[in-house]
């Protein structure tokens, strides 16, 4: 079993142990330095990769743009091993044999990340078919311990969901009812920014304030909202139509570690109804 964090240990065992290769590395492959602009696999823990890679790309000019498409999937935090998995294919470590990800790693990443892809209208690509990868756990890249995944699972994770109506005006009573019915309510300022590739990126301005916290962890909430906007990009797009930052109150629930946003109130300037609701909430009995 090979752990990504223990490449050096593996290297030793590979040199002294058997060397059953998955692929014949012909003379046609070469090692190149992982370039800075291969953002997906920078700082992956090794500096050289093999070309052609396991995605069938033959040059860096092909690898770099193709890998870009996967960066936002990684940023959604769909699986802690998503990056390791993809980089073992996009930028295979330069050793005397190709090291494939184990099928179990592929399945774990696919099961968590395919729903995010499908939220964006894409299916899990054929080239990442898990049956391509070795079924055993010898001589392939395996996920670390069950505990690690376990810990990660404890953080409430956003999911692909249908976009709640974005309410531009609300009565104080309705807002208070929404706070009562949900696990958490947050006050958050959002804006959008153009990326170099002419798409938009949605961002949180300033801090996220809790009206009620529920099961959310203060240190992870910002991250959770960012990931929610990446997964539910269409919804973020609906919420944030112009470049100015807008203030929202967002309510939601956490069920089996999955976060669902249930209500979105756009807090317009001079909207005293929401101001009053937030003030009353402290003494409110549901
Ligand atoms: C505030 O609530 C009142 C009723 O309580 C409603 O008539 C009014 O439209 C609300 N204002 C806004 C800005 O939502």
């Amino acid at each position: 079993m090979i752990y990504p964090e223990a490449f050096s240990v593996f290297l030793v065992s590979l040199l002294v142990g058997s060397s059953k290769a998955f692929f014949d590395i012909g003379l046609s492959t070469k090692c190149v330095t992982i370039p800075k602009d291969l953002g997906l696999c920078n700082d992956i823990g090794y500096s050289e990769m093999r070309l052609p890679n396991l995605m069938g790309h033959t040059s860096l000019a092909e690898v770099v743009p193709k890998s870009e498409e996967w960066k936002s999937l990684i940023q959604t935090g769909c699986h802690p091993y998503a990056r390791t998995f993809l980089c073992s294919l996009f930028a295979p470590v330069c050793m005397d044999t190709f090291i494939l990800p184990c099928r179990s790693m592929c399945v774990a990443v696919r099961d968590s990340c395919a729903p995010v892809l499908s939220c964006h209208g894409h299916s899990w690509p054929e080239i990442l078919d898990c049956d391509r990868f070795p079924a055993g756990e010898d001589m392939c890249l395996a996920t670390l311990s069950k505990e690690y995944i376990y810990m990660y699972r404890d953080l409430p994770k956003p999911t692909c969901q249908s976009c709640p109506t974005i309410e531009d005006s609300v009565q104080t009573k309705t807002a208070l009812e929404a706070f009562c019915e949900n696990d958490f309510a947050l006050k958050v300022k959002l804006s959008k920014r153009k990326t170099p590739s002419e798409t938009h990126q949605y961002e949180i301005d300033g801090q996220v304030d809790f009206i009620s916290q529920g099961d959310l962890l203060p240190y992870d909430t910002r991250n959770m909202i960012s990931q929610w906007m990446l997964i539910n990009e269409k919804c973020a797009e609906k919420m944030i139509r112009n470049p100015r930052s807008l203030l929202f109150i967002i309510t939601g629930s956490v069920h089996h570690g999955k976060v669902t946003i249930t209500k979105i109130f756009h807090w317009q300037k001079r909207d005293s109804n929401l101001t009053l609701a937030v003030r009353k909430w402290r003494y409110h009995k549901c």
Side-chain angles (χ1 to χ4, degrees), residues 118-234:
S118 100
C119 199
H120 291 232
H122 304 296
S123 51
W124 189 251
E126 194 77 16
I127 194 150
L128 302 183
D129 180 359
C130 296
D131 291 343
R132 277 182 72 199
F133 306 120
E137 300 227 312
D138 290 327
M139 302 293 290
C140 57
L141 208 54
T143 49
L144 198 51
S145 63
K146 295 264 186 313
E147 288 98 276
Y148 176 69
I149 303 287
Y150 224 71
M151 248 168 57
Y152 155 87
R153 285 245 167 96
D154 280 347
L155 292 175
K157 302 299 284 176
T159 48
C160 177
Q161 61 166 105
S162 53
C163 191
T165 334
I166 298 149
E167 322 256 6
D168 274 321
S169 71
V170 64
Q171 295 184 14
T172 301
K173 186 168 157 277
T174 315
L176 283 169
E177 277 165 10
F179 299 164
C180 284
E181 283 162 11
N182 286 282
D183 295 333
F184 65 83
L186 312 165
K187 189 172 127 189
V188 62
K189 212 179 227 181
L190 304 174
S191 65
K192 70 174 171 186
R193 197 162 57 87
K194 251 210 180 97
T195 60
S197 55
E198 291 295 301
T199 55
H200 284 107
Q201 194 172 315
Y202 301 94
E203 292 179 335
I204 301 169
D205 293 339
Q207 67 182 68
V208 177
D209 291 324
F210 285 112
I211 294 162
S212 62
Q213 188 178 323
D215 285 337
L216 295 189
L217 300 167
Y219 68 87
D220 186 55
T221 299
R222 222 188 139 75
N223 189 31
M224 186 278 286
I225 297 289
S226 298
Q227 293 178 343
W228 184 86
M229 291 195 291
L230 279 167
I231 297 171
N232 298 283
E233 205 178 10
K234 288 269 176 322

Side-chain angles (χ1 to χ4, degrees), residues 4 34-36 38-48 83-84 87 91:
I34 298 176
K36 278 234 157 50
L38 185 55
L40 181 71
C41 305
N42 252 301
D43 310 320
I44 191 77
Y46 49 88
S47 58
E48 289 206 318
R83 198 164 99 103
T84 306
C87 286

Side-chain angles (χ1 to χ4, degrees), residues 110-121:
R110 182 198 62 198
D111 288 355
S112 304
C113 298
V116 177
L117 278 184
S118 100
C119 199
H120 291 232

Side-chain angles (χ1 to χ4, degrees), residues 250-268:
I250 290 171
T251 67
S253 60
V254 182
H255 196 62
H256 294 308
K258 305 255 188 236
V259 175
T260 309
I261 304 289
T262 50
K263 292 256 158 63
I264 300 173
F265 301 120
H266 173 202
W267 195 340
Q268 317 217 48

